[in-house]
Amino acid sequence: MMNRTDHILTQLYSSEDIQKRIEQLSSRIAADFRAEEIDLVGLLNGSYMFLADLTRSLHAKGLGMRIGFLTLSSYGAERRSSGRITLHQDLRLDIRNRKVLLVDDILDSGYTLQFACSYLLERSPAVLKTVVLLDKPSGRRLHMEADYAGFSAPNAFLVGYGLDYGGKYRERPDICILADPSEKG
Ligand code: IMP
Ligand code: MG
């Protein structure tokens, strides 16, 4: 049933597509880090679901890890990145001399990942790599690439699997394109 606050969602990646891709990503990551212990740093809120599935998949491949979180935001309820990143909650892991994998849901303009990388590099990790489930190359406003990326996504606003619009839809197990509200019938 639709009400005035519902949006039109079109599925882009099913839950099965996502799980398959995470298996492939974690195989590459586990091979690159060769069963060493790593520190995973998830960017909240968007990465929580991806991080949960990725860590279980990495565990199954023999990788040991510690897990920490950093809460950043740039969006508010807008669809476009403001470019102004705010730190809401600091990381509580000491990552000095550690192998760190930064995890985010989506790389769009690049502002968020760039901010998070500079922030973590100030803490002198031995290695810093980045993984994102989704990459939207068309949205890039600065030079920033992830070391590992799940899907190259179209130029559309996506929700589900941790991604929200105004706080909604994070709980969906799939990823959908959110139609422009002006397109609503
Ligand atoms: P960037 O700073 O523009 O690269 O955007 C990265 C952050 O913006 C991600 O961590 C997401 O939380 C959010 N974001 C970017 N694109 C989308 C989208 O299509 N849907 C929902 N959130 C998005
Ligand atoms: Mg995010």
Side-chain angles (χ1 to χ4, degrees):
M1 197 172 78
M2 286 190 69
N3 60 47
R4 275 179 300 155
T5 59
D6 282 331
H7 298 98
I8 298 167
L9 304 185
T10 311
Q11 189 180 76
L12 181 62
Y13 305 115
S14 70
S15 173
E16 292 72 24
D17 294 336
I18 297 167
Q19 298 306 324
K20 242 197 246 166
R21 194 67 189 110
I22 290 175
E23 273 303 298
Q24 294 166 347
L25 278 177
S26 77
S27 295
R28 281 181 51 208
I29 293 168
D32 289 353
F33 285 94
R34 285 186 223 92
E36 291 170 89
E37 202 191 80
I38 63 172
D39 284 351
L40 255 87
V41 177
L43 297 189
L44 293 178
N45 295 326
S47 76
Y48 82 95
M49 203 179 279
F50 176 42
L51 186 119
D53 286 336
L54 182 67
T55 52
R56 281 179 286 203
S57 183
L58 289 171
H59 166 77
K61 294 179 172 63
L63 204 66
M65 68 196 75
R66 304 190 305 173
I67 299 168
F69 297 98
L70 200 57
T71 307
L72 303 179
S73 77
S74 71
Y75 267 69
E78 302 299 313
R79 285 170 173 233
R80 273 271 162 81
S81 175
S82 62
R84 287 187 307 275
I85 312 294
T86 315
L87 174 75
H88 292 282
Q89 198 164 271
D90 206 348
L91 178 69
R92 289 168 61 193
L93 279 180
D94 180 8
I95 58 167
R96 175 171 289 274
N97 296 328
R98 302 274 305 176
K99 300 196 169 176
V100 177
L101 181 63
L102 176 60
V103 183
D104 203 8
D105 49 1
I106 185 165
L107 171 57
D108 185 16
S109 67
Y111 290 128
T112 303
L113 209 60
Q114 191 194 54
F115 179 96
C117 283
S118 321
Y119 190 81
L120 295 180
L121 285 171
E122 282 173 23
R123 280 145 187 80
S124 310
V127 173
L128 177 63
K129 294 210 172 191
T130 54
V131 57
V132 295
L133 180 64
L134 298 152
D135 182 10
K136 266 200 283 192
S138 55
R140 210 72 92 246
R141 303 225 213 121
L142 44 84
H143 182 74
M144 186 77 212
E145 297 304 326
D147 294 294
Y148 308 94
F151 299 100
S152 184
N155 182 21
F157 195 85
L158 307 177
V159 294
Y161 200 75
L163 296 155
D164 74 304
Y165 178 61
K168 287 183 73 178
Y169 308 118
R170 290 194 200 276
E171 70 280 13
R172 294 184 64 96
D174 58 353
I175 293 170
C176 298
I177 293 175
L178 178 92
D180 191 294
S182 64
E183 290 169 19
K184 263 201 300 189

